Amino acid sequence: MPAYRFPILLIRDAAGFFTALPVEDHADTAAAFAATPADARQQVRDCLERLYRDSPWRPEPDFADPSLSLHRVDVRPEYQDDDRVYPCGETIPLRLPVVTGHTEAGLRVAALPTLGIRFSYYADDDVKPLVIQYVHQHFKGQTPAQLARFLAPAHAELDDVVIQIPRELRPKTTDTPEIAELAAVADPLASRELRNRYARAWEREDLVARLVESLRKETAPILLLGPGGIGKTSILADAARRIERDGEPIAAISDHAPPTRRTHRFWLTSAPRLIAGMQYLGMWQERIETLIAQTASIAAVLCAENLLDLVRTGGRTPTDSIGAFLVPYLQRAELRLVTEATPTEFDAVRRLLPALADLFQVITVPPLSRDRAIACLDHVAAAHRQTSRIDAESGVTQTVHRLFARFMPYEPFPGKSALFLADLFDRAARDHRPRVTAADALDLFIHRTGLPELFLRDDTPLDPERVVQTLHQDVIGQPRACRAAVNVVTTFKAGLNDPTRPLGVLLFAGPTGVGKTQLALSLAQFLFGAAGPKTRMEDGGWKTEAGHGDPSSILHPPSSSSRLIRLDLSEYATPGHAAERFLGSADTAPADWIQKIRQQPFTVLLLDEIEKAAPEIFDVLLGVFDEGRLTDPWGRLTHFNSAVIIMTTNLGAATGEPFGLSPSAQPAQSAYDAEIANVFRPEFVNRIDAIVPFDPLTPESIQAIAEKELRDLSTREGLAKSNLRLEWTPAVIDLLAATGFDPRYGARPLQRALETLIVTPLAKYLVSHPKTAGRLRLDVDAAGQILIA
């Protein structure tokens, strides 16, 4: 037998009579009036028992720890005559009882029972100004006689009533239609179980009211249209809660629908759930017919999570899908449907199944303004403060908004920024910290994006020459290319990059084996390599600070390859199906590289041998380069605004003299430009930010690369765990440079020479002398063999 406790306000008037008002707003609950407090309480109890006996779907009371206070509000009466308003010269002081408390979810709430007003607030200091605002709004246009009814009561106090609904008084099962099939594939959207899954639609009260009005008066299917993460589901959930809380009927879909129902009105499902377990032909169609009949019998609304999924699911083509099956039922108003979609998804539905798209009444959800976005984040932070008992430093929400608006402009608010705030509070709770600070937000953003702190702070300077030196340590012999890459870095740091395009679109042109891929790796490390331990740039490159980031990231520093997605476009050279393979099959998940971009948009995308791709691949890339986004035939959208796109080509490298170890063999910039212009269409070349030439390697560069490879060898596990220091003579470097360079392949053979001439003899020596400690010296004997001592 369920028992519900409701707080009530008992008011004694000057004549000694008592009025009892429920603190929670029940639109169809009248105030009780009696000669004694007990009689007034009993009247309220009888009324609530009747309501919950006849309408058991009503939500349970959600107003805990009530506290009563009286607030004085000075209200100016006014008279109205046609379109003119005549305010009175004096104000009337009203002393109104205000009850404050909190919901089960931890939100602070306040109620003015005498006015039927309830609102949420964040801090105690907010209650008084909010009370004044709501009271002035409520009494606008009231005359002195009308205001006189709300003068200060003789006495007011808090009380409560408890109601119990015996099982024998519940509605009989014969009176409630069977909805077993509906309950199996859908969840009641306004139920207590789903209450905490969807956040409140903060700063969207106008859209919630518009949706409520449409549901009450219209029978056409409704589509909430807006970018992903903008709050469409929250708006729907708020509208469902408001309608079920107020108990008002929604527009009936047929003359046979009952005026009242015995269960929830809004049922949330998805296309995969609708066909789950349906193995044979005609099974899912039969299930949906049953669902339509059951929703009609209880005057319910079916809420689908995504409109495009209805078109993609159920058959091999859109005409065989769930969406196509629902069209005649929606046309005959036999089914109430509310769903949502992004603009690109809705465009895909219009193209694939226009008969379905034309049926919807569209409610567009616009982006939040800056002030409303910050206010929304303030609401989210306040809710987490209440539930986690963790405070938030002033300015945290402004910091989160700035980071997302600057570095992820394609993500609408609240969306991922609200999830980011939730993660901040969760981390503070796990670490037993009493508050969340702006520094915590910066550290978490660094961990998520990999962007170093110098990009996140406008007051931190960046010296382009030091960046060139840092890149040149990894990419030897390519000063022109390093400076071109630094142009992308400095533009991004200054905030002058076009937010509607990728951070940079570069074409690396040059002979093979000269460092094109290595520069892409180094750029990925510089831009996005701070996801692990905290890093800072000093003379000589990046330095790692212990004690920051996750412990595992300190043991395993972030690799530049983890932020580099590499595709060999020679694999997409066959015309006809190259674009489909490039994007992924339309009826399955997108290609692996697209999924990686969606999971981590702060990435360097390397497209090797771009000139070998089929022409249709270039058509796909035009939109990526120009608008920073990619839309597949099903309307699935991928953003590239936070990525650097690098293409490589050998075009132009073979013009002029054969390249080798001579500086005179360096092709000029015009040679690359001319050859590239002959191969690629002008509209493709015009979308490239820079064509970056790579020079053939000089003898000095080959020797520097050989020395760098030896230094990298010293950090391998076999030497590091034994604390062995590797030393070598200039003859070793000369031997590696001479053996490991090929005029056709640049420095690529150098790695093989290192393994053959150095690593193999060194490995044999270490396994034969396991107790070796201190240092090992490498030299070359007269026969050209490596000596180890």
Side-chain angles (χ1 to χ4, degrees):
M1 180 184 301
Y4 303 145
R5 182 179 299 273
F6 291 85
I8 64 172
L9 180 66
L10 272 176
I11 299 175
R12 178 172 57 84
D13 59 26
F17 290 94
F18 292 87
T19 300
L21 296 167
V23 171
E24 294 195 76
D25 179 26
H26 290 264
D28 43 9
T29 304
F33 182 78
T36 65
D39 290 342
R41 283 195 296 269
Q42 185 61 44
Q43 289 182 28
V44 172
R45 183 181 297 111
D46 293 343
C47 180
L48 291 173
E49 284 182 349
R50 177 181 56 79
L51 287 176
Y52 276 82
R53 181 186 62 233
D54 296 340
S55 307
W57 62 85
R58 287 179 175 274
E60 300 176 15
D62 192 18
F63 203 111
D65 299 329
S67 176
L68 177 64
S69 61
L70 292 177
H71 286 250
R72 171 174 170 165
V73 181
D74 294 328
V75 179
R76 186 178 302 277
E78 56 188 28
Y79 294 93
Q80 292 187 1
D81 182 16
D82 296 330
D83 295 334
R84 302 189 65 178
V85 177
Y86 301 92
C88 297
E90 297 181 356
T91 60
I92 296 179
L94 302 179
R95 295 183 62 84
L96 300 170
V98 177
V99 182
T100 56
H102 63 83
T103 66
E104 183 182 0
L107 295 178
R108 295 185 180 185
V109 290
L112 287 80
T114 56
L115 305 183
I117 295 175
R118 176 175 171 173
F119 60 87
S120 302
Y121 66 97
Y122 320 115
D124 293 339
D125 294 340
D126 296 336
V127 175
K128 185 173 182 179
L130 286 174
V131 167
I132 294 175
Q133 175 184 344
Y134 281 105
V135 170
H136 283 169
Q137 182 179 357
H138 181 81
F139 286 119
K140 185 176 179 60
Q142 300 287 307
T143 65
Q146 292 170 321
L147 290 177
R149 298 169 43 228
F150 297 93
L151 294 175
H155 178 73
E157 64 181 24
L158 275 176
D159 205 336
D160 59 44
V161 296
V162 177
I163 66 171
Q164 294 181 336
I165 309 298
R167 295 186 183 278
E168 59 271 15
L169 295 182
R170 292 185 183 182
K172 303 297 183 181
T173 56
T174 54
D175 297 333
T176 304
E178 293 292 339
I179 56 169
E181 193 75 29
L182 177 62
V185 298
D187 299 317
L189 185 57
S191 66
R192 192 178 189 86
E193 292 76 12
L194 295 185
R195 181 179 298 174
N196 296 329
R197 182 183 301 180
Y198 303 105
R200 290 283 304 277
W202 305 114
E203 302 298 319
R204 297 291 194 183
E205 291 80 5
D206 54 340
L207 288 175
V208 173
R210 180 181 172 187
L211 179 57
V212 169
E213 190 70 13
S214 297
L215 288 168
R216 287 172 175 168
K217 295 184 178 180
E218 304 288 341
T219 59
I222 298 174
L223 173 69
L224 295 174
L225 184 67
I230 205 169
K232 301 186 292 293
T233 308
S234 295
I235 292 171
L236 175 57
D238 265 15
R241 293 175 190 137
R242 181 178 300 183
I243 288 176
E244 295 202 3
R245 182 195 67 193
D246 295 345
E248 295 188 15
I250 56 179
I253 60 174
S254 69
D255 296 336
H256 304 290
T260 59
R261 359 152 269 6
R262 306 291 185 179
T263 185
H264 291 280
R265 308 185 193 189
F266 295 87
W267 293 81
L268 181 66
T269 187
S270 63
R273 290 187 67 182
L274 290 175
I275 66 170
M278 303 290 99
Q279 302 178 0
Y280 302 107
L281 184 65
M283 290 183 66
W284 67 259
Q285 291 89 339
E286 183 179 355
R287 168 185 280 179
I288 291 180
E289 287 181 340
T290 303
L291 294 180
I292 293 173
Q294 291 182 0
T295 56
S297 66
I298 59 174
V301 178
L302 191 65
C303 306
E305 292 180 349
N306 186 278
L307 175 62
L308 183 60
D309 285 347
L310 296 177
V311 179
R312 294 178 52 202
T313 307
R316 300 185 62 181
T317 64
T319 56
D320 302 326
S321 65
I322 296 175
F325 185 80
L326 293 177
V327 166
Y329 295 96
L330 296 173
Q331 290 174 336
R332 296 192 298 264
E334 296 179 13
L335 173 67
R336 294 295 308 276
L337 179 66
V338 179
T339 186
E340 58 187 65
T342 66
T344 55
E345 289 171 344
F346 192 47
D347 289 343
V349 174
R350 284 189 179 278
R351 183 179 66 257
L352 299 170
L353 196 61
L356 176 65
D358 293 342
L359 295 175
F360 284 94
Q361 173 191 349
V362 178
I363 297 179
T364 302
V365 183
L368 292 170
S369 65
R370 179 185 181 278
D371 293 340
R372 295 184 71 180
I374 294 178
C376 181
L377 294 179
D378 287 337
H379 285 287
V380 174
H384 287 295
R385 280 202 304 265
Q386 294 294 326
T387 56
S388 63
R389 306 300 180 188
I390 292 176
D391 197 10
E393 181 183 68
S394 176
V396 169
T397 54
Q398 288 86 344
T399 299
V400 172
H401 180 272
R402 180 181 66 83
L403 292 174
F404 276 82
R406 165 69 176 84
F407 299 101
M408 303 179 73
Y410 46 86
E411 293 290 350
F413 291 95
K416 290 187 177 180
S417 59
L419 298 177
F420 184 86
L421 268 178
D423 200 0
L424 279 176
F425 281 90
D426 289 342
R427 287 170 177 259
R430 291 197 303 268
D431 297 340
H432 304 288
R433 287 183 282 113
R435 62 187 307 173
V436 172
T437 65
D440 297 332
L442 281 175
D443 286 342
L444 182 57
F445 200 79
I446 291 171
H447 178 75
R448 292 280 183 85
T449 64
L451 288 168
E453 190 170 344
L454 67 91
F455 289 108
L456 306 183
R457 292 187 177 275
D458 296 334
D459 56 350
T460 304
L462 175 67
D463 185 359
E465 289 302 319
R466 290 176 60 189
V467 182
V468 172
Q469 295 171 10
T470 301
L471 295 180
H472 194 59
Q473 292 175 2
D474 291 333
V475 187
I476 297 171
Q478 303 296 341
R480 289 196 296 174
C482 290
R483 291 189 179 278
V486 170
N487 292 337
V488 175
V489 175
T490 53
T491 304
F492 180 49
K493 167 63 178 174
L496 297 179
N497 58 291
D498 187 346
T500 64
R501 298 186 67 243
L503 299 181
V505 180
L506 306 177
L507 177 59
F508 288 177
T512 184
V514 295
K516 298 189 293 293
T517 300
Q518 182 59 48
L519 182 54
L521 284 166
S522 300
L523 191 59
Q525 174 66 20
F526 189 90
L527 285 173
F528 311 125
K534 195 172 182 180
T535 55
R536 65 183 188 275
M537 195 180 77
E538 294 184 353
D539 293 333
W542 285 104
K543 303 297 182 183
T544 301
E545 301 178 6
H548 296 274
D550 295 337
S552 60
S553 64
I554 297 175
L555 298 176
H556 305 284
S559 170
S560 56
S561 61
S562 65
R563 293 306 180 98
L564 182 79
I565 300 175
R566 184 174 180 178
L567 294 175
D568 186 354
L569 290 195
S570 63
E571 299 178 3
Y572 304 95
T574 305
H577 302 285
E580 182 178 349
R581 291 181 55 241
F582 188 64
L583 299 176
S585 179
D587 55 352
T588 59
D592 290 341
W593 70 274
I594 294 180
Q595 296 186 55
K596 291 178 181 178
I597 289 285
R598 291 180 179 179
Q599 295 167 2
Q600 183 48 263
F602 292 88
T603 305
V604 172
L605 176 63
L606 178 61
L607 305 175
D608 268 335
E609 300 187 272
I610 184 67
E611 75 279 2
K612 297 181 180 179
E616 56 199 86
I617 298 294
F618 300 144
D619 297 334
V620 172
L621 293 176
L622 283 176
V624 176
F625 295 171
D626 191 37
E627 300 177 355
R629 62 186 207 167
L630 176 66
T631 306
D632 65 11
W634 289 101
R636 298 175 296 200
L637 183 64
T638 306
H639 291 280
F640 291 81
N641 308 72
S642 298
V644 177
I645 301 176
I646 296 175
M647 299 169 286
T648 67
T649 181
N650 295 331
L651 294 173
T655 58
E657 304 174 24
F659 62 88
L661 293 177
S662 173
S664 63
Q666 296 180 2
Q669 174 84 45
S670 58
Y672 290 114
D673 294 344
E675 188 70 18
I676 290 169
N678 289 333
V679 175
F680 299 110
R681 302 198 308 268
E683 59 268 27
F684 184 83
V685 177
N686 287 339
R687 286 170 171 80
I688 300 174
D689 294 329
I691 298 175
V692 182
F694 277 70
D695 303 324
L697 298 175
T698 64
E700 294 80 7
S701 298
I702 291 295
Q703 290 188 332
I705 294 172
E707 187 171 4
K708 176 181 178 296
E709 293 293 336
L710 284 173
R711 288 197 303 269
D712 293 343
L713 176 61
S714 302
T715 62
R716 294 192 185 183
E717 181 182 2
L719 296 174
K721 71 179 182 180
S722 301
N723 199 22
L724 282 172
R725 187 174 68 256
L726 196 63
E727 298 177 355
W728 52 86
T729 64
V732 175
I733 295 178
D734 292 339
L735 178 63
L736 279 175
T739 308
F741 179 77
D742 187 301
R744 294 170 299 173
Y745 304 112
R748 289 189 185 277
L750 186 62
Q751 187 64 41
R752 294 194 296 271
L754 181 74
E755 297 292 329
T756 303
L757 297 177
I758 305 295
V759 175
T760 300
L762 189 59
K764 292 178 180 179
Y765 181 87
L766 290 178
V767 297
S768 302
H769 304 79
K771 296 184 178 180
T772 303
R775 66 180 178 83
L776 288 175
R777 183 177 177 80
L778 304 179
D779 203 349
V780 181
D781 61 13
Q785 301 296 318
I786 295 294
L787 295 177
I788 303 175

